[in-house]
DNA sequence: ATGAGATCAAGAATTATTCTAAATAAAAAA
DNA sequence: TTTTTTATTTAGAATAATTCTTGATCTCAT
């Protein structure tokens, strides 16, 4: 069982652990709150949707999971704490984590006025994943 | 009056023109649909919110405006057709357009599996704009 | 054990957006 | 121009994700 000290006043309750485990265990496919709810019920039948929302918010605040927003679709959640962006395949509608090339700084490509302070970067690429791109060009 | 030929079967109706003008005229501050609605009513009191939504969708489809989504907030709209990203100041909550440095390719910094096809890039930077950053460090 | 505070559950409330159906306006045909 | 067809606008209902509210339950320090 991982160590969650260092995450402030955060308390790992039974429900939060279930929600967290759902995200960490396979399939790690960036589920929405409702999808997390369905999977969580398999492990803890009495859990409520409201609690899943609460847990996801708490876990996000604690920094254990990341909220992923694509356009205005339902938020998705991901336990990958390394800095990364997302690739969305418009064909199979899957979300893939992508990482910056070593030594590349994704912020550096943008022209920003002198004195701007960057706290956070949010990147989504859209297109076709290799499998779907190949299927489309038979 | 600009020429809108070359935008397919698109028809520039009175309402669409009003909505478009609201976006193009100052302040070009990335308003939400409701904000566009309020401004549009000044120019055409009878216009309805549903129509504003319809027009924004049509204009977006026609490629005359871009829909800008920050997290799960209400969509904002922007008439800047040049490729650009957005900077959101967490202090003054304004949205600024930002452009890539000449000759920089924002997609190139990301590690993507061989064969991935990129159609679209969506970037939001968050932090403090120069004015707010300075105000925070007095 | 007891009491204070955090967490959970169920359902109501909210909000941005989409849908529906009828009315209106514009374009095409006669 | 009149008629017919088609697209657009409107108002309000419907939807869907999320948040809020309230009371019940749990946890932990005393």
């Amino acid at each position: 069982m991982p160590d969650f000290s260092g995450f402030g006043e955060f308390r790992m309750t039974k429900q939060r652990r279930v929600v967290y485990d759902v995200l960490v265990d396979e399939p790690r496919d960036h589920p929405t709150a409702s999808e997390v709810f369905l999977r969580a019920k398999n492990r803890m039948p009495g859990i409520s949707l409201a609690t899943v929302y609460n847990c996801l918010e708490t876990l996000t605040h604690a920094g254990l999971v990341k909220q992923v927003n694509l356009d205005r679709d339902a938020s998705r959640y991901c336990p990958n704490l390394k800095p990364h962006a997302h690739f969305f395949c418009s064909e199979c509608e899957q979300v893939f984590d992508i990482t910056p090339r070593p030594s590349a700084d994704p912020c550096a490509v943008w022209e920003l006025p002198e004195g701007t302070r960057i706290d956070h970067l949010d990147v989504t690429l859209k297109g076709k994943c290799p499998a779907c791109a190949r299927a489309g060009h038979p």
Side-chain angles (χ1 to χ4, degrees), chain A residues 28-32 35 70-71 73-74 76 86-96 125-129 131-133:
Chain A
R28 278 169 87 162
D29 52 1
H30 303 81
T32 63
E35 288 162 349
L70 286 86
D71 300 327
D73 294 344
R76 298 163 175 276
H86 295 99
F87 179 85
F88 177 76
C89 176
S90 54
E91 196 70 25
C92 62
E93 308 205 309
Q94 275 194 268
V95 178
F96 303 89
L125 297 172
K126 292 176 202 164
K128 292 202 181 174
C129 69
C132 291

Side-chain angles (χ1 to χ4, degrees), chain A residues 11-27:
Chain A
R11 191 198 281 167
M12 185 54 96
T13 65
K14 291 196 200 80
Q15 288 82 346
R16 287 173 186 167
R17 148 132 275 116
V18 166
V19 167
Y20 181 70
D21 287 348
V22 162
L23 292 174
V24 169
D25 294 0
E26 303 299 330

Side-chain angles (χ1 to χ4, degrees), chain A residues 39-80:
Chain A
R39 296 180 196 175
K41 277 203 292 193
N42 293 331
R43 304 174 185 222
M44 181 184 271
I47 199 168
S48 76
L49 178 58
T51 296
V52 169
Y53 270 104
N54 287 338
C55 292
L56 289 170
E57 190 191 328
T58 307
L59 290 165
T60 302
H61 246 96
L64 288 164
V65 310
K66 283 190 180 170
Q67 192 183 45
V68 180
N69 295 302
L70 286 86
D71 300 327
R72 291 228 352 128
D73 294 344
S75 293
R76 298 163 175 276
Y77 295 86
C78 121
N80 179 357

